[in-house]
Amino acid sequence: YLGSEYDITRASEPYYANKFANVFLDNPSCVGMDVNSGVNNHTIYDYILWDNILKLTIPYGRNVFAFTFSDGHKIDQYNRNYTYMLMPELTTEALRTSMETGAFFACSHYARADLGEEFNGEEFETPFVSVLDVNQDSDTISFNAENFDYVRWYSDGEIIAEGKNLTYLDLNAYEDKLGCYVRFTLTGPGGILYSQAFPITAEGEEIEK
């Protein structure tokens, strides 16, 4: 839609970010967007648009969740991208709760912006998060995961920390780099995993609603 595969700067144009941010701010039933991670060339920079939308919506108390879908046009393309839904039971009610609360991770066997234009991880398992802990008292985020070899932490679209085993982030150590949210990605032989954005505020501040 953006044509950002030809010009990456289009993913950061205010027109598009504002257009979709207003959709989310005006329509609570729109819970998230597809961050397709390059399964096709025209989706390679979806995550940049997502970050720019988050910067506009989170200050108003509106998180926008990241989904991934296979975008399959043939039977052998069904497994290219998928979303791990965290549910206590396999019911439509549990699925709805997961979607409305952001209790899921977006995954893709393609991560062309991170791992190269020719990357295809379909032979391996994508990264998987088994435990996630957000500690409001210590201002830390930590997780346990599998099938990954590199972690990147983002805030307002910028990488603030990265490393092979960086599964723990102390927000206080990066306070000069923080915007209105943080999120992380995991990459490995099987592709990429996107966490949802974690809205953050400084002490004494409140998010406008």
Side-chain angles (χ1 to χ4, degrees), residues 49-123:
L49 175 62
W50 178 41
D51 277 321
N52 283 298
I53 291 171
L54 289 170
K55 287 190 288 185
L56 295 173
T57 59
I58 284 181
Y60 291 95
R62 181 68 158 89
N63 204 346
V64 175
F65 304 133
F67 293 87
T68 44
F69 305 100
S70 68
D71 194 25
H73 296 262
K74 300 178 181 178
I75 192 64
D76 61 348
Q77 296 176 335
Y78 75 96
N79 197 37
R80 299 190 297 186
N81 294 343
Y82 44 85
T83 303
Y84 283 121
M85 310 302 292
L86 307 182
M87 303 183 295
E89 58 186 7
L90 190 60
T91 63
T92 54
E93 292 80 8
L95 176 62
R96 181 180 181 119
T97 297
S98 180
M99 292 178 66
E100 291 179 339
T101 60
F104 55 90
F105 294 95
C107 304
S108 176
H109 285 298
Y110 295 80
R112 292 174 177 170
D114 294 273
L115 300 173
E117 284 286 334
E118 303 302 319
F119 180 83
N120 179 345
E122 289 190 40
E123 294 183 15

Side-chain angles (χ1 to χ4, degrees), residues 163-199:
K164 289 186 176 181
N165 296 299
L166 198 58
T167 60
Y168 174 91
L169 189 75
D170 183 346
L171 296 177
N172 297 310
Y174 298 92
E175 59 184 18
D176 59 332
K177 297 181 179 181
L178 297 178
C180 61
Y181 69 91
V182 293
R183 65 176 181 86
F184 64 83
T185 61
L186 306 180
T187 52
I192 192 167
L193 174 145
Y194 296 90
S195 80
Q196 304 305 338
F198 303 94

